[in-house]
Amino acid sequence: MIEGILVEGLLYAIMVLGVFITFRILDFPDLTVDGSFPLGAAIFASMVTAGADPWLAVSVALLGGVLAGLCTAAIHTYLKVPNLLAGILTMTMLWSINIRVMGNRPNLQLIRQSTILRNLVDVLGGGVGQEWVLLGFFVVLVLVIKILLDIFFHTDLGLTLGALGNNPQMVISSGVNPANLKFIGVGLSNGLVALSGAFSAQFLGFADVNLGQGIIIAGLASVMIGEFLLRSNRIFFLTLRVILGSILFRGIMYLGRYYGYYVGLTPNDLKLITGLLIIVSLIITQTKKAPGPRKKSGGPANA
Amino acid sequence: MLELKNITQVFHPGTVNENIALQDISLSIARGEFVTIIGSNGAGKSTLFNSISGTFLPTSGEVRLHDRNVTKEPEYKRAQHIGRIFQNPLLGTAGNMSLEDNMVMAMNKGFKGLKISLNTTLRDSFREQLVPLQMGLEYRLRDNVGLLSGGQRQALTLLMMVMSRPDLILLDEHTAALDPKNAEIVLELTLGYIRQYDITAMMITHNMHHAIAIGDRLLMMDKGEIILDIRGEEKRSLTVEKLVRKFQEIRKTELKNDEMLLS
């Protein structure tokens, strides 16, 4: 049970890291995610079915996600569409694209295909059990991604990206085009989301066009739960708490599925629970902030 | 160095809200000049800065920087040469990031690559540069900028702006939101940097005494026009009374801006 939660938590943590980049660092609420997650799954499934190397398929899935993100950023930047709407547009278009990618099918089974996870279990799974092999693999994978992200956010480019959500004027003042940063940030985010989608297809054994439904909300809930765990301004802890938040969220969902049965909850209620979880998190953050005067957000207008 | 040719800025043209913020402004600033700008609210001072820094495209006219037409260049490109400080201390720094990270961003203008600039040598140099601020910030490199007071934040913004050695700096009432003591400190620092690096500067102020005492040229704006342009000997012998009288002669009305007279 516990290893199952950990595997799921780590698998989705890759997606949550992407959501964290857009929502928290860029302050760019990006709904593309609901489309780029199944895009990653679809690309992986159809490539592997066509006989491609699973590692190549994973890389292409990641690239596909990056392209989806760039598409959203382009709609937002060039057509001056609000970021929320730009994401919804891409997400909606991706639904059709995902079906195309899977060869005009809404889902694709991976029963006999060789995937990264299956190959790994075949080689190592004899002694320790399948779940533990998966857990080991995802611990390594998520750690590598986390460390790469940490390094990236220490570079000059990463720092500037970090400032964008906080103070766009400052980014402009430092001679950087904010539009370029949005392309980089949203592209990177959706690349991670699609990567997560590709591994989730392997984990579940199929890709489905509806795999992405509610992914953004799950990601957001995970980010917010993580924020209760640790307080810091260091990127090392920020990414760490995203991963922990994802695991904890999957834990809560597991409990909802497992024990919810006794109070009459069905798996169909999980989305409601996720939403309520976000609302509760918001209420807690609001009440924590309540004492003292509210900080002015805009500041005085320049005369 | 900077030249504005017939700049006109109209907001909401053709509507009931039509507002002529700048009327046919022509202005030429020489290298090393320090210009103070006064004028009542809505006179067009900040709009003038916006047109220089490229926040808005002017309705008509031309902006030339170093003899190059930059009228259509976006703000982030012009920022390579122009530094700007706003009245609001929050606009100059990223509050949720540390001092050192903020300083790294300000250090080199233009697109940032995948290089990790921050290292021990750079930290030492940051500390050295923070010492003259006399605010103890040299011990707080890893603290979030959001923890600093308004005065500390504005002093840091000033240092960060100077670090990239801009050709021209625009100071938009950058001490107005600070308490008197901090305002004095930040102003002193500003004057020090301008002298030390021989920076061309334009400073909007609501304080007539400052406008008269500081700098070598004074512009007074009213209703989108520059109505007074005083420099040289005339500027040195200027007093508040003379300035008020001049305004009355030109506009044939009383200068009724309590804010300007009282300060």
Side-chain angles (χ1 to χ4, degrees), chain A residues 12 37-38 40-46 49 102 106-113 115 118 196-212:
Chain A
Y12 285 107
F37 189 82
I43 291 178
F44 179 84
S46 60
T49 309
M102 290 187 285
N107 53 51
L108 206 55
Q109 301 293 326
L110 288 172
I111 298 168
R112 288 214 187 80
Q113 314 305 336
T115 70
R118 190 164 296 143
S196 181
F199 278 107
S200 115
Q202 301 175 50
F203 182 69
L204 298 169
F206 64 90
D208 190 299
V209 70
N210 291 322
L211 217 52

PDB file of all heavy atoms in Angstrom, chain A residues 12 37-38 40-46 49 102 106-113 115 118 196-212:
ATOM      1  N   TYR A  12       3.367  11.362 -10.335  1.00  0.00           N
ATOM      2  CA  TYR A  12       2.657  12.615 -10.601  1.00  0.00           C
ATOM      3  C   TYR A  12       3.461  13.832 -10.156  1.00  0.00           C
ATOM      4  O   TYR A  12       3.170  14.950 -10.559  1.00  0.00           O
ATOM      5  CB  TYR A  12       1.290  12.601  -9.911  1.00  0.00           C
ATOM      6  CG  TYR A  12       0.293  11.720 -10.616  1.00  0.00           C
ATOM      7  CD1 TYR A  12      -0.090  10.498 -10.092  1.00  0.00           C
ATOM      8  CD2 TYR A  12      -0.263  12.116 -11.839  1.00  0.00           C
ATOM      9  CE1 TYR A  12      -0.994   9.674 -10.744  1.00  0.00           C
ATOM     10  CE2 TYR A  12      -1.157  11.307 -12.497  1.00  0.00           C
ATOM     11  CZ  TYR A  12      -1.521  10.083 -11.950  1.00  0.00           C
ATOM     12  OH  TYR A  12      -2.406   9.291 -12.612  1.00  0.00           O
ATOM     13  N   PHE A  37      -0.788  16.472 -20.575  1.00  0.00           N
ATOM     14  CA  PHE A  37      -0.571  15.205 -19.844  1.00  0.00           C
ATOM     15  C   PHE A  37      -0.978  14.009 -20.710  1.00  0.00           C
ATOM     16  O   PHE A  37      -0.160  13.121 -20.965  1.00  0.00           O
ATOM     17  CB  PHE A  37      -1.335  15.234 -18.519  1.00  0.00           C
ATOM     18  CG  PHE A  37      -1.032  14.098 -17.608  1.00  0.00           C
ATOM     19  CD1 PHE A  37       0.094  14.111 -16.799  1.00  0.00           C
ATOM     20  CD2 PHE A  37      -1.871  12.984 -17.559  1.00  0.00           C
ATOM     21  CE1 PHE A  37       0.380  13.058 -15.954  1.00  0.00           C
ATOM     22  CE2 PHE A  37      -1.588  11.924 -16.724  1.00  0.00           C
ATOM     23  CZ  PHE A  37      -0.458  11.958 -15.920  1.00  0.00           C
ATOM     24  N   PRO A  38      -2.233  13.975 -21.214  1.00  0.00           N
ATOM     25  CA  PRO A  38      -2.568  12.865 -22.113  1.00  0.00           C
ATOM     26  C   PRO A  38      -1.780  12.909 -23.421  1.00  0.00           C
ATOM     27  O   PRO A  38      -1.574  11.863 -24.038  1.00  0.00           O
ATOM     28  CB  PRO A  38      -4.070  13.040 -22.372  1.00  0.00           C
ATOM     29  CG  PRO A  38      -4.400  14.414 -21.965  1.00  0.00           C
ATOM     30  CD  PRO A  38      -3.404  14.815 -20.929  1.00  0.00           C
ATOM     31  N   GLY A  40       1.405  13.485 -23.692  1.00  0.00           N
ATOM     32  CA  GLY A  40       2.598  12.703 -23.389  1.00  0.00           C
ATOM     33  C   GLY A  40       2.290  11.214 -23.420  1.00  0.00           C
ATOM     34  O   GLY A  40       3.029  10.417 -24.008  1.00  0.00           O
ATOM     35  N   ALA A  41       1.162  10.846 -22.801  1.00  0.00           N
ATOM     36  CA  ALA A  41       0.758   9.438 -22.771  1.00  0.00           C
ATOM     37  C   ALA A  41       0.491   8.927 -24.181  1.00  0.00           C
ATOM     38  O   ALA A  41       0.937   7.837 -24.558  1.00  0.00           O
ATOM     39  CB  ALA A  41      -0.492   9.286 -21.898  1.00  0.00           C
ATOM     40  N   ALA A  42      -0.208   9.740 -24.976  1.00  0.00           N
ATOM     41  CA  ALA A  42      -0.597   9.322 -26.321  1.00  0.00           C
ATOM     42  C   ALA A  42       0.634   9.137 -27.207  1.00  0.00           C
ATOM     43  O   ALA A  42       0.748   8.134 -27.916  1.00  0.00           O
ATOM     44  CB  ALA A  42      -1.545  10.349 -26.927  1.00  0.00           C
ATOM     45  N   ILE A  43       1.543  10.119 -27.153  1.00  0.00           N
ATOM     46  CA  ILE A  43       2.751  10.025 -27.985  1.00  0.00           C
ATOM     47  C   ILE A  43       3.533   8.767 -27.619  1.00  0.00           C
ATOM     48  O   ILE A  43       3.936   7.994 -28.479  1.00  0.00           O
ATOM     49  CB  ILE A  43       3.632  11.284 -27.814  1.00  0.00           C
ATOM     50  CG1 ILE A  43       2.932  12.492 -28.430  1.00  0.00           C
ATOM     51  CG2 ILE A  43       4.993  11.067 -28.465  1.00  0.00           C
ATOM     52  CD1 ILE A  43       3.693  13.790 -28.275  1.00  0.00           C
ATOM     53  N   PHE A  44       3.697   8.561 -26.317  1.00  0.00           N
ATOM     54  CA  PHE A  44       4.455   7.391 -25.877  1.00  0.00           C
ATOM     55  C   PHE A  44       3.793   6.114 -26.371  1.00  0.00           C
ATOM     56  O   PHE A  44       4.439   5.259 -26.990  1.00  0.00           O
ATOM     57  CB  PHE A  44       4.573   7.367 -24.346  1.00  0.00           C
ATOM     58  CG  PHE A  44       5.314   6.172 -23.847  1.00  0.00           C
ATOM     59  CD1 PHE A  44       6.696   6.171 -23.806  1.00  0.00           C
ATOM     60  CD2 PHE A  44       4.630   5.029 -23.453  1.00  0.00           C
ATOM     61  CE1 PHE A  44       7.386   5.054 -23.372  1.00  0.00           C
ATOM     62  CE2 PHE A  44       5.320   3.911 -23.031  1.00  0.00           C
ATOM     63  CZ  PHE A  44       6.704   3.922 -22.991  1.00  0.00           C
ATOM     64  N   ALA A  45       2.480   5.999 -26.132  1.00  0.00           N
ATOM     65  CA  ALA A  45       1.774   4.758 -26.457  1.00  0.00           C
ATOM     66  C   ALA A  45       1.836   4.467 -27.950  1.00  0.00           C
ATOM     67  O   ALA A  45       2.130   3.336 -28.361  1.00  0.00           O
ATOM     68  CB  ALA A  45       0.322   4.854 -25.991  1.00  0.00           C
ATOM     69  N   SER A  46       1.594   5.494 -28.763  1.00  0.00           N
ATOM     70  CA  SER A  46       1.545   5.182 -30.193  1.00  0.00           C
ATOM     71  C   SER A  46       2.942   4.919 -30.744  1.00  0.00           C
ATOM     72  O   SER A  46       3.110   4.108 -31.647  1.00  0.00           O
ATOM     73  CB  SER A  46       0.839   6.309 -30.971  1.00  0.00           C
ATOM     74  OG  SER A  46       1.522   7.498 -30.806  1.00  0.00           O
ATOM     75  N   THR A  49       3.867   1.384 -29.615  1.00  0.00           N
ATOM     76  CA  THR A  49       3.065   0.437 -30.392  1.00  0.00           C
ATOM     77  C   THR A  49       3.636   0.278 -31.796  1.00  0.00           C
ATOM     78  O   THR A  49       3.613  -0.807 -32.379  1.00  0.00           O
ATOM     79  CB  THR A  49       1.607   0.930 -30.475  1.00  0.00           C
ATOM     80  OG1 THR A  49       1.163   1.222 -29.149  1.00  0.00           O
ATOM     81  CG2 THR A  49       0.703  -0.120 -31.083  1.00  0.00           C
ATOM     82  N   MET A 102      -3.131   8.934 -31.403  1.00  0.00           N
ATOM     83  CA  MET A 102      -3.340   7.512 -31.116  1.00  0.00           C
ATOM     84  C   MET A 102      -4.008   6.795 -32.293  1.00  0.00           C
ATOM     85  O   MET A 102      -4.542   5.699 -32.140  1.00  0.00           O
ATOM     86  CB  MET A 102      -4.172   7.352 -29.843  1.00  0.00           C
ATOM     87  CG  MET A 102      -3.392   7.761 -28.607  1.00  0.00           C
ATOM     88  SD  MET A 102      -4.221   7.418 -27.055  1.00  0.00           S
ATOM     89  CE  MET A 102      -5.460   8.689 -27.003  1.00  0.00           C
ATOM     90  N   PRO A 106      -9.681   6.694 -29.060  1.00  0.00           N
ATOM     91  CA  PRO A 106      -9.673   7.457 -27.798  1.00  0.00           C
ATOM     92  C   PRO A 106      -8.728   6.859 -26.770  1.00  0.00           C
ATOM     93  O   PRO A 106      -8.399   7.504 -25.795  1.00  0.00           O
ATOM     94  CB  PRO A 106     -11.124   7.390 -27.320  1.00  0.00           C
ATOM     95  CG  PRO A 106     -11.664   6.156 -27.941  1.00  0.00           C
ATOM     96  CD  PRO A 106     -10.936   5.942 -29.243  1.00  0.00           C
ATOM     97  N   ASN A 107      -8.325   5.585 -26.965  1.00  0.00           N
ATOM     98  CA  ASN A 107      -7.341   5.025 -26.042  1.00  0.00           C
ATOM     99  C   ASN A 107      -6.527   3.940 -26.719  1.00  0.00           C
ATOM    100  O   ASN A 107      -6.880   3.450 -27.788  1.00  0.00           O
ATOM    101  CB  ASN A 107      -8.002   4.499 -24.761  1.00  0.00           C
ATOM    102  CG  ASN A 107      -9.116   3.540 -25.076  1.00  0.00           C
ATOM    103  OD1 ASN A 107      -8.937   2.594 -25.830  1.00  0.00           O
ATOM    104  ND2 ASN A 107     -10.285   3.806 -24.518  1.00  0.00           N
ATOM    105  N   LEU A 108      -5.424   3.618 -26.081  1.00  0.00           N
ATOM    106  CA  LEU A 108      -4.485   2.670 -26.670  1.00  0.00           C
ATOM    107  C   LEU A 108      -3.943   1.796 -25.546  1.00  0.00           C
ATOM    108  O   LEU A 108      -3.433   2.310 -24.553  1.00  0.00           O
ATOM    109  CB  LEU A 108      -3.352   3.481 -27.324  1.00  0.00           C
ATOM    110  CG  LEU A 108      -2.594   2.862 -28.485  1.00  0.00           C
ATOM    111  CD1 LEU A 108      -3.542   2.438 -29.595  1.00  0.00           C
ATOM    112  CD2 LEU A 108      -1.599   3.880 -29.031  1.00  0.00           C
ATOM    113  N   GLN A 109      -4.055   0.466 -25.716  1.00  0.00           N
ATOM    114  CA  GLN A 109      -3.566  -0.444 -24.672  1.00  0.00           C
ATOM    115  C   GLN A 109      -2.075  -0.710 -24.864  1.00  0.00           C
ATOM    116  O   GLN A 109      -1.589  -0.728 -25.990  1.00  0.00           O
ATOM    117  CB  GLN A 109      -4.328  -1.773 -24.737  1.00  0.00           C
ATOM    118  CG  GLN A 109      -5.825  -1.632 -24.549  1.00  0.00           C
ATOM    119  CD  GLN A 109      -6.192  -1.173 -23.156  1.00  0.00           C
ATOM    120  OE1 GLN A 109      -5.518  -1.522 -22.187  1.00  0.00           O
ATOM    121  NE2 GLN A 109      -7.247  -0.372 -23.048  1.00  0.00           N
ATOM    122  N   LEU A 110      -1.397  -0.910 -23.780  1.00  0.00           N
ATOM    123  CA  LEU A 110       0.042  -1.209 -23.857  1.00  0.00           C
ATOM    124  C   LEU A 110       0.328  -2.593 -23.290  1.00  0.00           C
ATOM    125  O   LEU A 110       1.343  -2.811 -22.644  1.00  0.00           O
ATOM    126  CB  LEU A 110       0.832  -0.152 -23.065  1.00  0.00           C
ATOM    127  CG  LEU A 110       0.919   1.223 -23.680  1.00  0.00           C
ATOM    128  CD1 LEU A 110       1.546   2.200 -22.696  1.00  0.00           C
ATOM    129  CD2 LEU A 110       1.733   1.188 -24.954  1.00  0.00           C
ATOM    130  N   ILE A 111      -0.581  -3.538 -23.553  1.00  0.00           N
ATOM    131  CA  ILE A 111      -0.489  -4.820 -22.851  1.00  0.00           C
ATOM    132  C   ILE A 111       0.792  -5.577 -23.192  1.00  0.00           C
ATOM    133  O   ILE A 111       1.497  -6.054 -22.306  1.00  0.00           O
ATOM    134  CB  ILE A 111      -1.710  -5.693 -23.185  1.00  0.00           C
ATOM    135  CG1 ILE A 111      -2.976  -4.983 -22.707  1.00  0.00           C
ATOM    136  CG2 ILE A 111      -1.607  -7.043 -22.484  1.00  0.00           C
ATOM    137  CD1 ILE A 111      -4.247  -5.575 -23.213  1.00  0.00           C
ATOM    138  N   ARG A 112       1.128  -5.651 -24.470  1.00  0.00           N
ATOM    139  CA  ARG A 112       2.283  -6.481 -24.822  1.00  0.00           C
ATOM    140  C   ARG A 112       3.504  -5.653 -25.223  1.00  0.00           C
ATOM    141  O   ARG A 112       4.497  -6.198 -25.656  1.00  0.00           O
ATOM    142  CB  ARG A 112       1.908  -7.423 -25.958  1.00  0.00           C
ATOM    143  CG  ARG A 112       0.995  -8.515 -25.474  1.00  0.00           C
ATOM    144  CD  ARG A 112       1.221  -9.835 -26.177  1.00  0.00           C
ATOM    145  NE  ARG A 112       0.191 -10.763 -25.748  1.00  0.00           N
ATOM    146  CZ  ARG A 112      -1.047 -10.744 -26.250  1.00  0.00           C
ATOM    147  NH1 ARG A 112      -1.365  -9.913 -27.214  1.00  0.00           N
ATOM    148  NH2 ARG A 112      -1.952 -11.578 -25.796  1.00  0.00           N
ATOM    149  N   GLN A 113       3.390  -4.371 -25.124  1.00  0.00           N
ATOM    150  CA  GLN A 113       4.503  -3.537 -25.586  1.00  0.00           C
ATOM    151  C   GLN A 113       5.626  -3.533 -24.549  1.00  0.00           C
ATOM    152  O   GLN A 113       5.392  -3.713 -23.360  1.00  0.00           O
ATOM    153  CB  GLN A 113       4.044  -2.085 -25.814  1.00  0.00           C
ATOM    154  CG  GLN A 113       2.752  -1.957 -26.576  1.00  0.00           C
ATOM    155  CD  GLN A 113       2.798  -2.671 -27.908  1.00  0.00           C
ATOM    156  OE1 GLN A 113       3.863  -2.887 -28.462  1.00  0.00           O
ATOM    157  NE2 GLN A 113       1.648  -3.073 -28.408  1.00  0.00           N
ATOM    158  N   THR A 115       7.881  -1.452 -22.387  1.00  0.00           N
ATOM    159  CA  THR A 115       7.997  -0.087 -21.880  1.00  0.00           C
ATOM    160  C   THR A 115       9.178  -0.030 -20.928  1.00  0.00           C
ATOM    161  O   THR A 115       9.710  -1.074 -20.530  1.00  0.00           O
ATOM    162  CB  THR A 115       6.725   0.339 -21.118  1.00  0.00           C
ATOM    163  OG1 THR A 115       6.673  -0.395 -19.900  1.00  0.00           O
ATOM    164  CG2 THR A 115       5.471   0.074 -21.944  1.00  0.00           C
ATOM    165  N   ARG A 118       8.266  -1.805 -17.705  1.00  0.00           N
ATOM    166  CA  ARG A 118       8.139  -3.261 -17.806  1.00  0.00           C
ATOM    167  C   ARG A 118       9.514  -3.908 -17.972  1.00  0.00           C
ATOM    168  O   ARG A 118       9.800  -4.919 -17.338  1.00  0.00           O
ATOM    169  CB  ARG A 118       7.218  -3.614 -18.970  1.00  0.00           C
ATOM    170  CG  ARG A 118       6.840  -5.089 -18.991  1.00  0.00           C
ATOM    171  CD  ARG A 118       5.656  -5.352 -19.891  1.00  0.00           C
ATOM    172  NE  ARG A 118       4.444  -4.700 -19.425  1.00  0.00           N
ATOM    173  CZ  ARG A 118       3.536  -4.163 -20.235  1.00  0.00           C
ATOM    174  NH1 ARG A 118       3.725  -4.161 -21.535  1.00  0.00           N
ATOM    175  NH2 ARG A 118       2.450  -3.609 -19.735  1.00  0.00           N
ATOM    176  N   SER A 196       5.513  13.237 -17.414  1.00  0.00           N
ATOM    177  CA  SER A 196       4.739  12.550 -16.386  1.00  0.00           C
ATOM    178  C   SER A 196       3.629  11.723 -17.025  1.00  0.00           C
ATOM    179  O   SER A 196       3.369  10.576 -16.625  1.00  0.00           O
ATOM    180  CB  SER A 196       4.165  13.593 -15.427  1.00  0.00           C
ATOM    181  OG  SER A 196       3.441  13.005 -14.408  1.00  0.00           O
ATOM    182  N   GLY A 197       3.001  12.279 -18.056  1.00  0.00           N
ATOM    183  CA  GLY A 197       1.946  11.559 -18.769  1.00  0.00           C
ATOM    184  C   GLY A 197       2.469  10.287 -19.421  1.00  0.00           C
ATOM    185  O   GLY A 197       1.824   9.243 -19.380  1.00  0.00           O
ATOM    186  N   ALA A 198       3.679  10.383 -20.001  1.00  0.00           N
ATOM    187  CA  ALA A 198       4.254   9.222 -20.671  1.00  0.00           C
ATOM    188  C   ALA A 198       4.511   8.088 -19.678  1.00  0.00           C
ATOM    189  O   ALA A 198       4.257   6.919 -19.970  1.00  0.00           O
ATOM    190  CB  ALA A 198       5.554   9.620 -21.363  1.00  0.00           C
ATOM    191  N   PHE A 199       4.990   8.459 -18.478  1.00  0.00           N
ATOM    192  CA  PHE A 199       5.239   7.411 -17.480  1.00  0.00           C
ATOM    193  C   PHE A 199       3.945   6.890 -16.880  1.00  0.00           C
ATOM    194  O   PHE A 199       3.841   5.733 -16.484  1.00  0.00           O
ATOM    195  CB  PHE A 199       6.190   7.931 -16.389  1.00  0.00           C
ATOM    196  CG  PHE A 199       7.616   7.846 -16.812  1.00  0.00           C
ATOM    197  CD1 PHE A 199       8.326   8.979 -17.153  1.00  0.00           C
ATOM    198  CD2 PHE A 199       8.241   6.617 -16.909  1.00  0.00           C
ATOM    199  CE1 PHE A 199       9.641   8.897 -17.566  1.00  0.00           C
ATOM    200  CE2 PHE A 199       9.564   6.516 -17.320  1.00  0.00           C
ATOM    201  CZ  PHE A 199      10.258   7.666 -17.648  1.00  0.00           C
ATOM    202  N   SER A 200       2.950   7.751 -16.826  1.00  0.00           N
ATOM    203  CA  SER A 200       1.684   7.287 -16.271  1.00  0.00           C
ATOM    204  C   SER A 200       1.032   6.280 -17.221  1.00  0.00           C
ATOM    205  O   SER A 200       0.394   5.329 -16.783  1.00  0.00           O
ATOM    206  CB  SER A 200       0.783   8.489 -15.963  1.00  0.00           C
ATOM    207  OG  SER A 200      -0.348   8.478 -16.745  1.00  0.00           O
ATOM    208  N   ALA A 201       1.223   6.460 -18.547  1.00  0.00           N
ATOM    209  CA  ALA A 201       0.700   5.482 -19.498  1.00  0.00           C
ATOM    210  C   ALA A 201       1.356   4.116 -19.265  1.00  0.00           C
ATOM    211  O   ALA A 201       0.688   3.084 -19.314  1.00  0.00           O
ATOM    212  CB  ALA A 201       0.951   5.959 -20.925  1.00  0.00           C
ATOM    213  N   GLN A 202       2.657   4.134 -18.978  1.00  0.00           N
ATOM    214  CA  GLN A 202       3.353   2.871 -18.718  1.00  0.00           C
ATOM    215  C   GLN A 202       2.866   2.246 -17.425  1.00  0.00           C
ATOM    216  O   GLN A 202       2.703   1.030 -17.319  1.00  0.00           O
ATOM    217  CB  GLN A 202       4.857   3.114 -18.607  1.00  0.00           C
ATOM    218  CG  GLN A 202       5.451   3.727 -19.843  1.00  0.00           C
ATOM    219  CD  GLN A 202       6.906   4.055 -19.651  1.00  0.00           C
ATOM    220  OE1 GLN A 202       7.698   3.234 -19.199  1.00  0.00           O
ATOM    221  NE2 GLN A 202       7.280   5.267 -20.024  1.00  0.00           N
ATOM    222  N   PHE A 203       2.651   3.076 -16.442  1.00  0.00           N
ATOM    223  CA  PHE A 203       2.231   2.603 -15.130  1.00  0.00           C
ATOM    224  C   PHE A 203       0.831   2.002 -15.200  1.00  0.00           C
ATOM    225  O   PHE A 203       0.555   0.935 -14.646  1.00  0.00           O
ATOM    226  CB  PHE A 203       2.272   3.774 -14.141  1.00  0.00           C
ATOM    227  CG  PHE A 203       1.916   3.406 -12.737  1.00  0.00           C
ATOM    228  CD1 PHE A 203       2.764   2.604 -11.985  1.00  0.00           C
ATOM    229  CD2 PHE A 203       0.739   3.855 -12.165  1.00  0.00           C
ATOM    230  CE1 PHE A 203       2.437   2.254 -10.688  1.00  0.00           C
ATOM    231  CE2 PHE A 203       0.407   3.513 -10.867  1.00  0.00           C
ATOM    232  CZ  PHE A 203       1.264   2.715 -10.134  1.00  0.00           C
ATOM    233  N   LEU A 204      -0.067   2.697 -15.923  1.00  0.00           N
ATOM    234  CA  LEU A 204      -1.449   2.236 -16.005  1.00  0.00           C
ATOM    235  C   LEU A 204      -1.613   1.116 -17.033  1.00  0.00           C
ATOM    236  O   LEU A 204      -2.569   0.362 -16.978  1.00  0.00           O
ATOM    237  CB  LEU A 204      -2.362   3.402 -16.392  1.00  0.00           C
ATOM    238  CG  LEU A 204      -2.429   4.576 -15.417  1.00  0.00           C
ATOM    239  CD1 LEU A 204      -3.155   5.753 -16.049  1.00  0.00           C
ATOM    240  CD2 LEU A 204      -3.129   4.157 -14.130  1.00  0.00           C
ATOM    241  N   GLY A 205      -0.696   1.075 -18.012  1.00  0.00           N
ATOM    242  CA  GLY A 205      -0.804   0.071 -19.055  1.00  0.00           C
ATOM    243  C   GLY A 205      -1.642   0.512 -20.226  1.00  0.00           C
ATOM    244  O   GLY A 205      -1.977  -0.270 -21.105  1.00  0.00           O
ATOM    245  N   PHE A 206      -2.018   1.762 -20.280  1.00  0.00           N
ATOM    246  CA  PHE A 206      -2.759   2.283 -21.437  1.00  0.00           C
ATOM    247  C   PHE A 206      -2.653   3.806 -21.475  1.00  0.00           C
ATOM    248  O   PHE A 206      -2.286   4.439 -20.488  1.00  0.00           O
ATOM    249  CB  PHE A 206      -4.243   1.882 -21.355  1.00  0.00           C
ATOM    250  CG  PHE A 206      -4.962   2.477 -20.172  1.00  0.00           C
ATOM    251  CD1 PHE A 206      -5.600   3.720 -20.269  1.00  0.00           C
ATOM    252  CD2 PHE A 206      -5.017   1.803 -18.960  1.00  0.00           C
ATOM    253  CE1 PHE A 206      -6.254   4.270 -19.182  1.00  0.00           C
ATOM    254  CE2 PHE A 206      -5.674   2.352 -17.867  1.00  0.00           C
ATOM    255  CZ  PHE A 206      -6.294   3.589 -17.977  1.00  0.00           C
ATOM    256  N   ALA A 207      -2.952   4.370 -22.641  1.00  0.00           N
ATOM    257  CA  ALA A 207      -3.091   5.819 -22.774  1.00  0.00           C
ATOM    258  C   ALA A 207      -4.543   6.105 -23.120  1.00  0.00           C
ATOM    259  O   ALA A 207      -5.160   5.357 -23.874  1.00  0.00           O
ATOM    260  CB  ALA A 207      -2.184   6.343 -23.879  1.00  0.00           C
ATOM    261  N   ASP A 208      -5.078   7.167 -22.532  1.00  0.00           N
ATOM    262  CA  ASP A 208      -6.480   7.494 -22.780  1.00  0.00           C
ATOM    263  C   ASP A 208      -6.604   8.991 -22.939  1.00  0.00           C
ATOM    264  O   ASP A 208      -5.935   9.766 -22.250  1.00  0.00           O
ATOM    265  CB  ASP A 208      -7.330   7.014 -21.599  1.00  0.00           C
ATOM    266  CG  ASP A 208      -8.816   7.113 -21.902  1.00  0.00           C
ATOM    267  OD1 ASP A 208      -9.317   8.240 -22.145  1.00  0.00           O
ATOM    268  OD2 ASP A 208      -9.475   6.062 -21.908  1.00  0.00           O
ATOM    269  N   VAL A 209      -7.467   9.395 -23.849  1.00  0.00           N
ATOM    270  CA  VAL A 209      -7.605  10.815 -24.125  1.00  0.00           C
ATOM    271  C   VAL A 209      -8.142  11.579 -22.907  1.00  0.00           C
ATOM    272  O   VAL A 209      -7.918  12.769 -22.762  1.00  0.00           O
ATOM    273  CB  VAL A 209      -8.483  11.026 -25.379  1.00  0.00           C
ATOM    274  CG1 VAL A 209      -9.929  10.658 -25.080  1.00  0.00           C
ATOM    275  CG2 VAL A 209      -8.375  12.464 -25.862  1.00  0.00           C
ATOM    276  N   ASN A 210      -8.832  10.863 -22.032  1.00  0.00           N
ATOM    277  CA  ASN A 210      -9.394  11.530 -20.852  1.00  0.00           C
ATOM    278  C   ASN A 210      -8.494  11.446 -19.624  1.00  0.00           C
ATOM    279  O   ASN A 210      -8.892  11.822 -18.526  1.00  0.00           O
ATOM    280  CB  ASN A 210     -10.763  10.936 -20.517  1.00  0.00           C
ATOM    281  CG  ASN A 210     -11.781  11.296 -21.580  1.00  0.00           C
ATOM    282  OD1 ASN A 210     -11.761  12.410 -22.101  1.00  0.00           O
ATOM    283  ND2 ASN A 210     -12.636  10.359 -21.923  1.00  0.00           N
ATOM    284  N   LEU A 211      -7.270  10.979 -19.850  1.00  0.00           N
ATOM    285  CA  LEU A 211      -6.322  10.826 -18.748  1.00  0.00           C
ATOM    286  C   LEU A 211      -6.037  12.169 -18.058  1.00  0.00           C
ATOM    287  O   LEU A 211      -5.691  12.218 -16.884  1.00  0.00           O
ATOM    288  CB  LEU A 211      -5.018  10.265 -19.317  1.00  0.00           C
ATOM    289  CG  LEU A 211      -4.236   9.264 -18.499  1.00  0.00           C
ATOM    290  CD1 LEU A 211      -5.128   8.131 -18.058  1.00  0.00           C
ATOM    291  CD2 LEU A 211      -3.083   8.724 -19.333  1.00  0.00           C
ATOM    292  N   GLY A 212      -6.179  13.232 -18.825  1.00  0.00           N
ATOM    293  CA  GLY A 212      -5.787  14.532 -18.291  1.00  0.00           C
ATOM    294  C   GLY A 212      -6.867  15.246 -17.512  1.00  0.00           C
ATOM    295  O   GLY A 212      -6.622  16.296 -16.925  1.00  0.00           O
TER     296      GLY A 212
END
